[in-house]
Amino acid sequence: MKRNVITALSLSAILLCGTTTAFAQEVQTPVAETPSAEASIPALPERYLAYGRITDIQKENGVITSITAKDVKDQTVIYIISEDTLCLDSGKGTQMNINDLKVGDGVYFYHSPAMTMSLPPQTVAEAIVGNMPMDAACARFHTVEAVENTQNGIRITTDRGGLYITVSKDATVTSYADNSAFDLANLKEGDRIFTWYDVVAESYPAQAGVNRLVVVPAAEDTKTVASPAKVSYSKSEMTTKNDVTCVPLRETADALGLTLTWDRDSRTATLESDTRSMDLVEGKDLYVSTSTIPGAVGMTSPGTLGVAPYVADDGAMYVPAEAFEWLVGYDVAEDDSTVTITAEK
């Protein structure tokens, strides 16, 4: 079934990129200037940073779709790759061909804070930084929130107001796309930047000075479109009943950004996207979804998949992977080793 529902993993950010000393993951939570009851639950950072050594690269039709990496603690993560994923050669300060990455390479991933609960977990890679010189830190990656002129150059506000980056007047500034010279006068809110610094003043906001900048301009006159939500499972980890591959409902719903509610009395799970709703009744092999748009008429034809939703010994409900096609707006692809569910663009 082909329908149009956009549900995406958000791409979110962190300011610190470590030195070439490997680490599992770094996070810096934005600091509130005046704590209050309303701010008691901190917002997620825009993105996280993690180091990993590549153990596997998956491709579809010659295009990289995911990279599996293991950190120094032997924790494995699958990073989902899209056409929007950036790849920078940190040593040269230029765009790197992602297809040059290979198993065994140690790289840094700037990735979404949204991560599946699967084993291994999965998340979306916003940027990959490779080829770090042994005596230097890797490139830091930020989103420009404000730009202002100073006596020493320009000052960029980033990391939710938590960091000021001063770019010197004689700095080398290039475009990520083609390594051509970039005019700092054109730098604006929403642009993303790669830069390099080792020392950060311990103040709030923190401050750093740089003389090298690689700019990834925001798309003109358009909003940033997030990559489609996607989750993949290894069939060796999934349950098969009656030759039907079943996936954990809660875990899959969370990965795709869907809402899931549970009625204990009727043993019914209700799965909802932005535009559609579907009831999944334990023990009932019947799948149908309806539109939630006021005034819209749109109910799919009821169908069966050979397996009814069921609750396993671990307390989780499992459903056929194909059930997500009944919700409309999701593609289910299955081969001998994996099953992948993707939100349509």
Side-chain angles (χ1 to χ4, degrees):
M1 297 183 181
K2 303 291 182 181
R3 302 291 189 275
N4 184 26
V5 172
I6 298 178
T7 318
L9 287 172
S10 60
L11 294 177
S12 282
I14 179 99
L15 63 86
L16 284 182
C17 169
T19 64
T20 49
T21 302
F23 57 89
Q25 188 173 49
E26 286 191 10
V27 174
Q28 177 160 330
T29 303
V31 180
E33 294 185 10
T34 306
S36 65
E38 294 180 355
S40 59
I41 301 177
L44 284 174
E46 189 176 353
R47 56 181 72 87
Y48 286 110
L49 170 64
Y51 172 85
R53 191 163 295 279
I54 297 174
T55 59
D56 184 58
I57 298 175
Q58 290 293 315
K59 295 183 178 181
E60 291 181 7
N61 299 321
V63 177
I64 295 178
T65 56
S66 70
I67 294 176
T68 303
K70 183 177 292 186
D71 64 22
V72 293
K73 296 181 180 179
D74 279 341
Q75 296 175 332
T76 297
V77 176
I78 297 175
Y79 297 92
I80 304 302
I81 307 300
S82 76
E83 60 184 7
D84 297 321
T85 301
L86 307 173
C87 192
L88 186 85
D89 184 312
S90 190
K92 297 179 180 179
T94 58
Q95 182 177 172
M96 182 177 180
N97 188 337
I98 195 170
N99 291 299
D100 290 340
L101 296 176
K102 59 185 182 300
V103 172
D105 286 349
V107 297
Y108 289 89
F109 297 90
Y110 286 95
H111 67 85
S112 166
M115 184 172 287
T116 70
M117 298 296 291
S118 58
L119 292 175
Q122 301 180 46
T123 187
V124 174
E126 183 182 2
I128 299 173
V129 177
N131 189 30
M132 280 71 65
M134 292 299 294
D135 59 347
C138 76
R140 326 296 177 97
F141 187 50
H142 302 283
T143 299
V144 176
E145 295 166 1
V147 182
E148 59 182 302
N149 292 316
T150 69
Q151 290 183 344
N152 299 322
I154 69 162
R155 188 173 75 178
I156 299 170
T157 302
T158 186
D159 296 318
R160 303 185 189 276
L163 177 66
Y164 289 157
I165 298 174
T166 299
V167 185
S168 62
K169 293 179 180 179
D170 60 350
T172 300
V173 185
T174 56
S175 171
Y176 170 83
D178 57 9
N179 201 37
S180 61
F182 185 90
D183 187 349
L184 276 177
N186 295 326
L187 191 68
K188 63 185 183 302
E189 179 183 350
D191 290 347
R192 291 172 294 170
I193 58 171
F194 290 100
T195 191
W196 292 258
Y197 52 83
D198 294 315
V199 179
V200 178
E202 294 184 1
S203 58
Y204 187 83
Q207 300 184 51
V210 305
N211 56 20
R212 178 81 172 92
L213 208 67
V214 176
V215 181
V216 185
E220 294 290 343
D221 301 322
T222 61
K223 294 182 179 179
T224 300
V225 178
S227 301
K230 179 179 180 180
V231 60
S232 296
Y233 295 105
S234 168
K235 282 191 173 180
S236 63
E237 300 172 352
M238 292 296 100
T239 301
T240 300
K241 297 184 69 174
N242 301 333
D243 294 326
V244 175
T245 302
C246 298
V247 297
L249 179 59
R250 170 68 65 181
E251 182 178 317
T252 307
D254 288 347
L256 296 173
L258 300 170
T259 299
L260 184 67
T261 56
W262 171 249
D263 187 317
R264 181 176 298 177
D265 293 335
S266 64
R267 309 294 292 179
T268 300
T270 300
L271 189 64
E272 291 184 300
S273 67
D274 292 339
T275 58
R276 303 194 68 82
S277 176
M278 179 167 64
D279 287 337
L280 299 162
V281 183
E282 182 181 7
K284 190 173 183 179
D285 182 13
L286 181 65
Y287 300 88
V288 60
S289 72
T290 58
S291 173
T292 58
I293 300 174
V297 178
M299 182 168 69
T300 61
S301 300
T304 62
L305 294 174
V307 174
Y310 67 94
V311 177
D313 293 339
D314 61 3
M317 174 174 276
Y318 284 75
V319 299
E322 288 185 75
F324 285 86
E325 289 193 345
W326 249 264
L327 188 61
V328 181
Y330 296 86
D331 286 327
V332 179
E334 192 169 351
D335 58 28
D336 292 339
S337 59
T338 60
V339 57
T340 301
I341 304 170
T342 307
E344 296 176 358
K345 289 185 179 182

